[in-house]
Amino acid sequence: MSVVKTVRIAHEIGHLLMHEAMFTEANRAVRDAEKEAHVFAANLLMPERRVEALLPHHASLQQILEAKRYFRVSAFAMAYRAHTLGRLTDWEYRSVCSELGARGYRTGEPKGISMETSQVFAFIARSNLAKGISTTTIAEETGLSANELHDLSFGNLIAVTGGNESAKDSAGSTARPQLTLHVNTRMNG
């Protein structure tokens, strides 16, 4: 699983645990909820005591990068966590972020963590395919759309949806349905 995906999942778990009810003050509540979800993800992925044990006060860029690899998070997330826990001063944090940006960490994670894949979902997808069970059948049985199944299975269940089956071509005869293959592009980042 990519670094970004891990942080995003932890962030979304924070929303699921803390923000079950609908927001009444939309903008303010969303901003507060986003901040709370970020804090939750940071605490889940980079526990305070472990960060404090690994990073000294005034941590160097090299120490931030080593901690990033240890916690399997992005360099910017690690730098931010170090700052919020007092391991970096405001000036040191800005300097580390500037250097990370100069090294290309804003657009990606050089020497990033290789993407993990779900062996469980892959096994289920292969088993269903061997038994002739389609994603559409699974969608009907679970009440989820084929697209939702595709996303929830990290791309292991391919979602193919049909178009308008009664579409007519220019000659007035029934045209073949247009099919759309939904590819999970979020897994590539």
Side-chain angles (χ1 to χ4, degrees):
M1 188 172 305
S2 72
V3 169
V4 174
K5 190 73 164 177
T6 302
V7 172
R8 186 173 307 278
I9 289 170
H11 176 94
E12 295 307 323
I13 289 170
H15 278 309
L16 290 171
L17 293 173
M18 297 184 294
H19 307 122
E20 188 176 333
M22 295 299 290
F23 301 120
T24 54
E25 298 177 46
N27 290 337
R28 182 171 166 238
V30 168
R31 276 195 312 272
D32 292 345
E34 288 303 311
K35 183 178 178 182
E36 289 173 354
H38 286 311
V39 169
F40 176 87
N43 283 308
L44 178 67
L45 297 173
M46 300 169 278
E48 181 176 352
R49 292 174 79 177
R50 177 57 60 186
V51 171
E52 290 174 346
L54 289 173
L55 284 178
H57 288 282
H58 313 291
S60 68
L61 177 62
Q62 186 57 38
Q63 290 168 319
I64 295 292
L65 293 174
E66 288 170 10
K68 151 216 157 18
R69 285 187 288 278
Y70 175 84
F71 289 107
R72 300 175 62 100
V73 297
S74 72
F76 279 101
M78 189 71 250
Y80 182 76
R81 184 69 168 151
H83 179 249
T84 60
L85 294 177
R87 295 318 206 204
L88 295 173
T89 65
D90 291 343
W91 184 85
E92 290 167 335
Y93 174 64
R94 284 190 300 274
S95 297
V96 165
C97 288
S98 177
E99 182 61 28
L100 288 172
R103 292 186 182 195
Y105 281 86
R106 280 207 197 283
T107 57
E109 283 288 316
K111 297 182 184 177
I113 300 165
S114 61
M115 189 180 301
E116 296 176 7
T117 58
S118 170
Q119 294 178 0
V120 173
F121 281 124
F123 172 77
I124 291 169
R126 282 192 311 273
S127 297
N128 286 337
L129 184 62
K131 294 175 186 174
I133 300 171
S134 70
T135 304
T136 304
T137 302
I138 297 168
E140 289 170 359
E141 291 178 358
T142 61
L144 297 169
S145 72
N147 291 341
E148 290 170 323
L149 282 172
H150 178 72
D151 289 345
L152 290 171
S153 70
F154 301 101
N156 283 294
L157 296 175
I158 297 174
V160 179
T161 57
N164 183 354
E165 292 187 32
S166 62
K168 304 280 185 193
D169 64 16
S170 59
S173 57
T174 303
R176 293 185 61 180
Q178 298 297 313
L179 298 178
T180 305
L181 175 62
H182 299 277
V183 178
N184 191 348
T185 58
R186 289 180 277 168
M187 292 298 291
N188 297 330

